[in-house]
């Protein structure tokens, strides 16, 4: 399992998810649920505790790394996100040639998903900065080959946010999973490769108002 980390920005801090965040997560999820039509966001305290426990069980198996999103404006946890579908390209030698560390110490590819925010934190830049922090860690610390992002094909808002990052649209996988509304879900897949990260990073820095001096 990769080492747990805390990722800090100007607007948010991504902290390792724990049961201590349950009450804040319930409060955030209860603000206004109208934007959760295509996203599974637990409502009751029992459901939220089960949600966190399931994420931590997957983390213990090295398959996911979940975070609580702390909005620094209020110093409260207002949502969650995670690295998921971590894959380790195993082999007898470090791969590719020149890779740092033994194969399996960090993932080779991953998804970013299960992202949601309470209504008061939506549209504030918190989601954009969260993605920047995750992508920076993925490509600059783990040196992943690919990060995948995906959304219900009907979720125009989430797809627009992913496209605004500069992610490449890979296509739609039909009947990919059970949807949050209990329909059969078609899923839009996007990806960012490590070779594309410098351009994506520059784009995000501009959108975050963090353009570096030349």
């Amino acid at each position: 399992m990769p080492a747990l980390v805390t990722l800090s920005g100007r607007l948010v801090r991504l902290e390792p998810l724990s049961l201590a965040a349950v009450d804040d997560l319930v409060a955030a999820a209860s603000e206004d649920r109208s934007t959760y039509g295509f996203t599974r966001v637990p409502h009751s305290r029992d459901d939220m505790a089960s949600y966190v426990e399931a994420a931590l069980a997957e983390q213990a198996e090295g398959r996911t790394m979940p975070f609580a999103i702390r909005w620094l404006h209020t110093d409260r946890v207002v949502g969650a996100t995670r690295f998921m579908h971590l894959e380790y390209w195993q082999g007898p030698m470090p791969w590719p040639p020149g890779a740092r560390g033994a194969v399996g110490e960090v993932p080779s590819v991953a998804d970013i998903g299960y992202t949601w925010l309470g209504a008061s934190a939506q549209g504030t830049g918190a989601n954009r900065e969260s993605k920047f922090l995750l992508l920076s860690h993925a490509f600059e610390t783990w040196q992943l080959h690919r990060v995948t992002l995906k959304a219900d094909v009907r979720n125009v808002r989430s797809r627009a946010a992913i496209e605004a990052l500069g992610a490449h649209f890979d296509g739609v996988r039909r009947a990919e999973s059970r949807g949050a509304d209990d329909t059969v879900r078609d899923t839009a897949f996007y990806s960012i490769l490590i070779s594309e990260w410098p351009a994506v990073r520059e784009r995000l820095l501009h959108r975050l108002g963090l353009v570096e001096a030349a």
Side-chain angles (χ1 to χ4, degrees):
M1 186 180 74
L4 301 184
V5 293
T6 296
L7 306 175
S8 298
R10 294 190 310 169
L11 302 175
V12 299
R13 184 167 62 245
L14 305 187
E15 304 171 350
L17 187 64
S18 72
L19 288 170
V22 166
D23 287 335
D24 276 356
L25 289 172
V26 171
S30 301
E31 289 180 353
D32 178 358
R33 299 187 58 83
S34 63
T35 60
Y36 301 149
F38 302 113
T39 306
R40 293 190 185 278
V41 179
H43 195 183
S44 72
R45 193 183 191 286
D46 285 347
D47 287 347
M48 190 65 75
S50 296
Y51 168 88
V52 172
E53 288 169 350
L56 295 179
E58 290 191 2
Q59 176 179 272
E61 296 172 354
R63 295 189 291 135
T64 189
M65 182 178 285
F67 295 90
I69 302 174
R70 184 174 296 278
W71 192 23
L72 299 181
H73 173 67
T74 60
D75 195 33
R76 291 182 66 86
V77 170
V78 294
T81 189
R82 69 183 71 171
F83 288 117
M84 50 194 271
H85 298 154
L86 303 181
E87 293 183 21
Y88 303 81
W89 293 353
Q90 301 288 349
M93 298 284 288
W95 189 93
R100 296 182 304 177
V103 173
E105 289 182 356
V106 295
S108 301
V109 295
D111 291 12
I112 291 174
Y114 277 99
T115 304
W116 64 270
L117 286 167
S120 61
Q122 295 176 18
T124 65
N127 177 57
R128 187 181 302 138
E129 188 175 72
S130 295
K131 292 297 193 298
F132 176 75
L133 293 171
L134 292 170
L135 289 168
S136 296
H137 187 73
F139 290 123
E140 296 172 15
T141 300
W142 284 348
Q143 297 188 325
L144 299 192
H145 303 292
R146 183 194 72 240
V147 169
T148 296
L149 304 103
K150 54 193 179 185
D152 189 307
V153 75
R154 301 165 296 171
N155 193 340
V156 176
R157 180 174 179 174
S158 288
R159 293 185 64 182
I162 294 170
E163 290 166 4
L165 297 173
H168 179 270
F169 175 55
D170 294 326
V172 174
R173 183 178 296 174
R174 297 176 298 167
E176 191 267 338
S177 65
R178 177 178 175 175
D181 57 352
D182 292 326
T183 61
V184 177
R185 165 177 149 163
D186 295 340
T187 299
F189 280 73
Y190 297 83
S191 63
I192 301 171
L193 305 183
I194 192 168
S195 61
E196 298 164 343
W197 170 238
V200 171
R201 181 177 184 274
E202 183 176 358
R203 180 188 185 115
L204 277 169
L205 286 172
H206 276 85
R207 290 177 62 84
L208 290 166
L210 297 173
V211 181
E212 297 179 324

